Amino acid sequence: MLCGVRIVIDYLYILCGVRIVIDYLFICMWCSYRYRLFVPIMWCLYRYRLFVLCGVCLLTTSALPPPHDVLHATSTPSEQFSNHEILDDNGIFELFWKYNETHITFEAHVQTLGYVGLGLSAHGKMFPADVVVGWVKDGKTYFTDRHTIGHYEPIIDQSQDWFLISGKEENGKTILKFVRKILLCDSEDISIKDGTTKIIYAWNSEDPIHETGLSYHGTNRGARNLLLLSPSQHRHLPPDAKHFDFLNKQFHLPARMTNYHCTSFKLPDIGGKHHMVMFEPILQKGNEEVVHHIVVYHCPPSKQYDDKFINMEYECYVHAPPELNECRAIMLAWAVGGGPFYFPDDVGMPLGESTDSGVFILETHYNNPTYLSDVVDSSGLRMYFTPTLRKYDGDVLQTGVAVDPLQMIPPGYASFLSTGYCGVDCTNKAFKDHPEGVKVFGIFPHSHLLGEAVRSRIIRNGVETVIADDENYDFDYQESRLLTEEVVIKPGDVLETECRYKSDDKSNVTLGGLSTNEEMCVVFLMYYPRVDIGQCSSLPIYDMYLKNGPNNENVFNMIKELGTMDWTNKTVQEQFSQATQQSRHIYTCIGKEGFSSYQKKEGAPPTISKKYVPKDVCSKKVLIG
């Protein structure tokens, strides 16, 4: 296509020098927008030395919407759906869906004239799974609710709980629309819950001979993690949005498992207060497997930083300059499996204020289990901002279990709980100017390899309520997500973060820490309006074991003692679990000014008079029957 365009343009160039400038400008802008390529710009520069034109193209590109706003070519669904994903890398299997309080409706558009399969799987494997299989043959649609118990054809359920709405073949695609209840009590089906859902999918080019004669799909299959019951982000940017990048500068990764690399940045002069409205990861191709997570910290607003502290690179937590070690307020967080995040239309994160230092720290956690020595990385985050201010200033609060070896997860547990709190003193101080509370609109849960569930709760006057639970947490799918309904946090509330771990395949105690093989239990709450709080967490001190306090020697001796215990003994397991849950905690609270605003206090865990219990629709059904 470009060749044809070039012939026409060359002809016009001969006819009119002015016209060629206009046409080249159009090509540069269109290609830069559509493909994010600078090839046409360099072509202009090399062939015709249009320096002014190329400068215009470059400036235009920086203000254009991001690649994510240029949507992939998709099928046209039968109605408006709130959510949409392309499940495979080649764009063959598209899935649309919407939901209400009780039901979820799907519409699958698959590039095949054979059968199509879609299912829910607890572990993303073929079995056990709750699946549907459908196809269209001679104008008739066949559709069945099935389940899997092995690596063979799914078995048709006795109770058909997925219902076909319509089916057809069109333009080389099989299109199936179907609906089911979100919660199902059939043992052959899987209920859909808040948080991560593991989807499996498959297709075949041929229709089955009969309902129990499915041909093997071969490699036409896959699995995806989706947030089926999370609101869809409004994936658009205002026309005046621009962006800047915080990127690593060709960092040569050392040949060791865990590396935390920090780089300081000064926000460019953007002409006064703006709102950041979207951010996305920029991962260097080929390095996706080693970039574990990226965090941007905001340095204390009131501090002034000499130029020597800007563009400084150092090893986080080891060689951090004291002046930059104060930068502890979380601005953004991304982890493996995550994508772009768009703020709600009425919320933006403030940038460029005259009272702000404008200095930030980019922290990148590299996980290098094979000790590669030839990795050079320039990954980071891209942030989009607009001068058109939104109604609310948003911010991020980190809460949960403080990252420390005092978080201990013994081996042998099918289910072990670690809990951290943001205490009453901190919420009273942080939210004192907002007695009506602040509103949480989004959440980003973070744990490591043992994590199976992350729960975020509020305890108000002894009553526990839920912010968000992810009962199917997946280390490889750490996605920021919007809440279905905003949740209010008030002064005097306790924030509770609970992580469930599975350690029955471990032989040693797993400690809290920075490496992937250690553990974390952290939640980042996105909220508005902004208040003076950055981190609020706690840590158990195991006062039943550490009679003389959690000093280094006592903690070392406790870890050593835990290593000698028989963790196959259920009594030993129950005693340690109970000691963990009843332990006193060290509560910490850090404001925007960093450690100069640090507060630390020891106290008992909060008293819960009424625990949150998810609705059990199935047990009610049994009782009624």
Side-chain angles (χ1 to χ4, degrees):
M1 177 181 176
L2 281 177
C3 292
V5 173
R6 177 174 176 174
I7 293 172
V8 174
I9 298 302
D10 281 345
Y11 177 69
L12 292 174
Y13 178 80
I14 296 172
L15 294 179
C16 180
V18 175
R19 178 61 183 274
I20 187 62
V21 172
I22 297 173
D23 284 328
Y24 268 108
L25 175 61
F26 169 78
I27 291 177
C28 289
M29 292 177 65
W30 183 85
C31 290
S32 297
Y33 174 80
R34 181 63 181 85
Y35 296 109
R36 314 298 292 176
L37 294 176
F38 291 93
V39 173
I41 297 172
M42 298 307 296
W43 177 34
C44 293
L45 179 61
Y46 173 76
R47 177 142 171 76
Y48 296 102
R49 296 180 174 86
L50 297 177
F51 296 103
V52 175
L53 171 60
C54 296
V56 171
C57 289
L58 285 166
L59 291 173
T60 305
T61 302
S62 67
L64 287 172
H68 296 283
D69 271 17
V70 184
L71 298 177
H72 296 288
T74 64
S75 305
T76 303
S78 61
E79 60 174 295
Q80 183 174 353
F81 287 85
S82 59
N83 299 70
H84 164 254
E85 286 288 345
I86 298 176
L87 301 187
D88 66 300
D89 293 337
N90 297 316
I92 293 174
F93 203 122
E94 289 186 66
L95 187 66
F96 301 86
W97 75 94
K98 64 178 184 177
Y99 60 93
N100 56 30
E101 291 184 358
T102 59
H103 289 74
I104 184 166
T105 302
F106 296 96
E107 188 167 296
H109 293 237
V110 188
Q111 295 177 23
T112 183
L113 298 180
Y115 74 77
V116 171
L118 183 75
L120 312 178
S121 169
H123 303 289
K125 306 296 184 181
M126 179 177 175
F127 72 93
D130 175 13
V131 301
V132 288
V133 178
W135 64 93
V136 179
K137 185 176 183 179
D138 300 328
K140 181 180 178 180
T141 302
Y142 298 83
F143 184 86
T144 49
D145 177 11
R146 304 175 181 232
H147 66 280
T148 60
I149 59 174
H151 285 292
Y152 43 85
E153 182 177 323
I155 301 168
I156 298 176
D157 289 2
Q158 292 183 354
S159 174
Q160 293 291 297
D161 297 311
W162 299 62
F163 300 99
L164 179 70
I165 298 175
S166 63
K168 63 180 178 180
E169 292 180 338
E170 185 177 83
N171 298 325
K173 296 182 179 181
T174 295
I175 302 172
L176 300 173
K177 185 177 182 180
F178 44 97
V179 65
R180 56 157 282 172
K181 288 183 178 180
I182 292 174
L183 300 177
L184 290 171
C185 303
D186 187 338
S187 62
E188 295 174 338
D189 291 315
I190 296 176
S191 289
I192 300 172
K193 299 179 180 180
D194 288 333
T196 306
T197 300
K198 299 181 188 301
I199 296 290
I200 59 173
Y201 59 91
W203 70 92
N204 193 289
S205 60
E206 301 292 334
D207 290 332
I209 300 173
H210 48 76
E211 285 192 336
T212 57
L214 304 183
S215 300
Y216 180 51
H217 48 63
T219 59
N220 298 330
R221 67 182 189 274
R224 277 286 303 274
N225 287 305
L226 295 178
L227 299 169
L228 289 179
L229 301 184
S230 291
S232 175
Q233 298 177 31
H234 295 164
R235 293 179 178 268
H236 66 274
L237 288 172
D240 56 0
K242 298 182 181 180
H243 77 261
F244 61 87
D245 298 342
F246 287 165
L247 303 175
N248 288 290
K249 302 170 183 178
Q250 295 186 327
F251 172 60
H252 191 165
L253 190 63
R256 62 173 185 259
M257 178 177 291
T258 301
N259 295 275
Y260 275 77
H261 184 67
C262 280
T263 305
S264 60
F265 291 89
K266 176 77 173 181
L267 184 73
D269 183 6
I270 56 177
K273 182 178 179 180
H274 287 61
H275 267 158
M276 184 182 69
V277 294
M278 190 273 266
F279 69 91
E280 63 179 340
I282 303 296
L283 301 181
Q284 183 166 326
K285 188 175 182 180
N287 293 351
E288 296 86 353
E289 295 300 318
V290 297
V291 181
H292 172 266
H293 76 243
I294 303 173
V295 177
V296 175
Y297 293 97
H298 196 170
C299 293
S302 64
K303 299 288 179 67
Q304 297 298 319
Y305 292 89
D306 295 337
D307 290 343
K308 67 180 180 180
F309 294 114
I310 309 303
N311 298 318
M312 180 179 286
E313 299 182 64
Y314 56 92
E315 187 174 357
C316 318
Y317 309 107
V318 178
H319 301 125
E323 294 82 356
L324 297 181
N325 204 35
E326 288 277 352
C327 307
R328 304 312 303 162
I330 299 289
M331 177 187 177
L332 301 174
W334 171 92
V336 58
F341 182 80
Y342 291 75
F343 286 80
D345 292 341
D346 57 350
V347 181
M349 187 168 288
L351 294 171
E353 295 174 294
S354 59
T355 57
D356 185 27
S357 66
V359 177
F360 301 86
I361 304 297
L362 179 77
E363 173 191 287
T364 307
H365 172 195
Y366 294 98
N367 181 42
N368 186 15
T370 57
Y371 296 85
L372 299 173
S373 60
D374 59 349
V375 176
V376 177
D377 186 65
S378 297
S379 300
L381 294 179
R382 172 168 292 172
M383 289 142 277
Y384 291 84
F385 60 97
T386 170
T388 306
L389 300 183
R390 297 183 171 186
K391 185 175 181 179
Y392 299 109
D393 287 344
D395 212 335
V396 176
L397 166 61
Q398 176 183 334
T399 186
V401 180
V403 180
D404 191 278
L406 268 175
Q407 182 191 9
M408 301 179 187
I409 304 164
Y413 282 84
S415 176
F416 180 84
L417 299 180
S418 283
T419 308
Y421 305 99
C422 174
V424 170
D425 291 346
C426 194
T427 60
N428 271 330
K429 179 182 178 182
F431 307 141
K432 64 181 185 300
D433 295 330
H434 297 277
E436 74 288 353
V438 300
K439 295 184 177 181
V440 179
F441 63 84
I443 188 171
F444 170 50
H446 182 66
S447 184
H448 284 177
L449 297 173
L450 300 186
E452 290 210 325
V454 181
R455 301 160 181 153
S456 182
R457 309 280 173 81
I458 294 175
I459 303 171
R460 181 178 300 155
N461 299 323
V463 178
E464 183 185 56
T465 56
V466 67
I467 297 177
D469 288 352
D470 192 337
E471 297 295 334
N472 295 302
Y473 175 82
D474 190 325
F475 173 80
D476 292 320
Y477 183 66
Q478 301 187 46
E479 183 80 89
S480 297
R481 69 279 312 259
L482 296 173
L483 301 182
T484 302
E485 294 182 0
E486 295 176 340
V487 176
V488 176
I489 304 174
K490 294 184 176 182
D493 285 348
V494 175
L495 303 180
E496 177 188 25
T497 303
E498 182 179 78
C499 293
R500 188 183 79 239
Y501 299 102
K502 185 175 184 294
S503 63
D504 52 5
D505 61 343
K506 295 294 181 181
S507 56
N508 298 308
V509 177
T510 301
L511 304 178
L514 297 173
S515 77
T516 301
N517 289 333
E518 295 171 310
E519 268 306 332
M520 290 188 182
C521 181
V522 175
V523 161
F524 300 93
L525 299 176
M526 292 167 273
Y527 71 93
Y528 69 87
R530 175 181 53 170
V531 298
D532 184 14
I533 187 171
Q535 296 184 28
C536 183
S537 56
S538 77
L539 193 66
I541 58 175
Y542 302 98
D543 45 307
M544 295 181 181
Y545 292 88
L546 303 175
K547 301 298 183 182
N548 299 318
N551 59 56
N552 290 340
E553 182 179 356
N554 289 342
V555 172
F556 176 80
N557 290 333
M558 179 181 170
I559 294 171
K560 188 176 179 180
E561 180 184 350
L562 294 181
T564 65
M565 292 183 178
D566 179 11
W567 294 108
T568 62
N569 187 315
K570 295 301 180 184
T571 301
V572 173
Q573 288 190 2
E574 291 171 4
Q575 287 176 345
F576 187 79
S577 292
Q578 187 178 27
T580 301
Q581 294 303 309
Q582 295 177 354
S583 169
R584 293 174 66 81
H585 279 243
I586 296 174
Y587 292 84
T588 58
C589 184
I590 305 177
K592 299 296 185 185
E593 292 296 324
F595 289 116
S596 61
S597 60
Y598 179 78
Q599 290 183 333
K600 179 179 178 181
K601 180 180 179 180
E602 182 183 318
T607 300
I608 303 176
S609 56
K610 184 179 180 181
K611 286 194 67 70
Y612 168 76
V613 179
K615 294 180 181 179
D616 191 343
V617 177
C618 297
S619 65
K620 290 181 180 179
K621 183 176 181 179
V622 173
L623 290 173
I624 293 172

